[in-house]
């Protein structure tokens, strides 16, 4: 039986994508690579409970659900982690959904905060992308779903450290997909706007906020259609294309 791997096993969007994939691939095993519970409990007590997550995924059609300890900042452990997973499972889909938002004002004034954002969102994501690409090439097939953000398409002053980290991640996975063409491995970059999950809880309301299930449905459709990139909501596709045409002198005057 094939397996679905979720890197960022406590991500609300990632879990919704896995649930949507299970509707297409019922009975698949699910591998949740996530932070150990004590580290995650403060973020969302429900998502921190492995037994609750396992029950939720089995109800969605999963076979065996296995939790795996994963630290995005432990860069020197990532290749070995992927190697162990692929030695034991044939992974049909790997969803890269881990990331941190952080305090955006602190991120550009505090060296450690900026380094953590870039390490988790960009450096760790790229290294794991290389490891996943290599492992899937060896098995001859597979799909990588990379959870990016419209924040990385045209970076704004209000969250430019986060946006820059997502821009790097986005560019890496988009071109990883190009590099992997002809190998049996494909990459889909998912670019949502604001999504109603714990990551943005407590923030100011944002226009066009969507639910995680909407991102999941769009992701599965895009995979079926063979797309390389999908925006959620869809109007962000042409919207961000137009944003790229705005001169920087004008862009920096727009509301943050």
């Amino acid at each position: 039986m094939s397996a679905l791997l979720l890197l960022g096993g406590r991500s609300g969007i990632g879990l919704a994508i896995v649930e949507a994939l299970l509707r297409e691939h019922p009975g698949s095993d699910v591998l949740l690579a996530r932070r150990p519970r004590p580290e995650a409990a403060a973020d969302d007590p429900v998502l921190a409970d492995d037994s609750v997550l396992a029950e939720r995924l089995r109800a969605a059609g999963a076979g065996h659900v296995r939790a795996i300890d994963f630290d995005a900042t432990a860069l020197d452990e990532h290749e070995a982690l992927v190697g162990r997973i692929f030695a034991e499972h044939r992974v049909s889909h790997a969803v890269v959904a881990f990331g941190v938002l952080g305090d955006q004002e602190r991120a550009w004034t505090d060296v450690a905060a900026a380094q953590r954002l870039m390490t988790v969102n960009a450096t760790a994501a790229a290294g794991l992308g290389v490891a996943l690409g290599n492992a899937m090439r060896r098995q001859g097939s597979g799909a990588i779903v990379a959870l990016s953000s419209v924040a990385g398409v045209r970076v704004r002053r209000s969250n430019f450290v986060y946006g820059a980290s997502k821009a790097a991640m986005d560019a890496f996975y988009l071109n990883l997909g190009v590099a992997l063409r002809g190998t049996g491995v494909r990459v889909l970059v998912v670019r949502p706007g604001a999504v109603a999950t714990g990551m943005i809880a407590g923030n100011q309301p944002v226009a066009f906020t969507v639910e995680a299930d909407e991102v999941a449905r769009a992701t599965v459709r895009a995979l079926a259609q063979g797309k390389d990139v999908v925006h959620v909501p869809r109007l962000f596709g042409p919207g961000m294309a137009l944003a790229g045409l705005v001169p920087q002198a004008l862009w920096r005057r727009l509301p943050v």
Side-chain angles (χ1 to χ4, degrees), residues 47-74:
L47 295 182
D49 191 324
D50 290 336
S51 63
V52 171
L53 295 182
E55 183 178 349
R56 170 179 165 178
L57 291 167
R58 283 193 291 268
H64 178 68
V65 180
R66 175 187 172 194
I68 302 169
D69 287 350
F70 165 62
D71 180 357
T73 63

Side-chain angles (χ1 to χ4, degrees), residues 60-177:
H64 178 68
V65 180
R66 175 187 172 194
I68 302 169
D69 287 350
F70 165 62
D71 180 357
T73 63
L75 302 179
D76 58 347
E77 299 177 5
H78 292 170
E79 186 172 19
L81 172 66
V82 171
R84 289 194 300 273
I85 290 171
F86 277 77
E88 300 173 9
H89 303 271
R90 184 174 185 83
V91 177
S92 63
H93 297 76
V95 182
V96 181
F98 63 90
V100 291
L101 180 60
D103 182 316
Q104 294 308 298
E105 286 303 295
R106 182 184 174 197
W108 73 272
T109 58
D110 183 292
V111 171
Q115 289 173 331
R116 181 169 186 267
L117 265 175
M118 298 303 292
T119 297
V120 173
N121 295 350
T123 307
L128 281 160
V130 172
L132 290 170
N134 288 340
M136 286 185 171
R137 278 194 299 147
R138 285 192 292 269
Q139 73 175 14
S141 65
I144 301 170
V145 176
L147 189 59
S148 180
S149 170
V150 294
V153 179
R154 182 72 191 265
V155 179
R156 298 177 300 138
R157 157 65 183 88
S158 60
N159 60 356
F160 73 90
V161 181
Y162 173 78
S165 71
K166 282 298 188 178
M169 185 261 201
D170 187 289
F172 171 83
Y173 277 95
L174 193 61
N175 287 281
L176 179 65

Side-chain angles (χ1 to χ4, degrees), residues 132-133 136-137 140-144 177 180-187:
L132 290 170
M136 286 185 171
R137 278 194 299 147
S141 65
I144 301 170
L180 289 170
R181 282 180 182 169
T183 67
V185 183
R186 53 176 304 208
V187 178

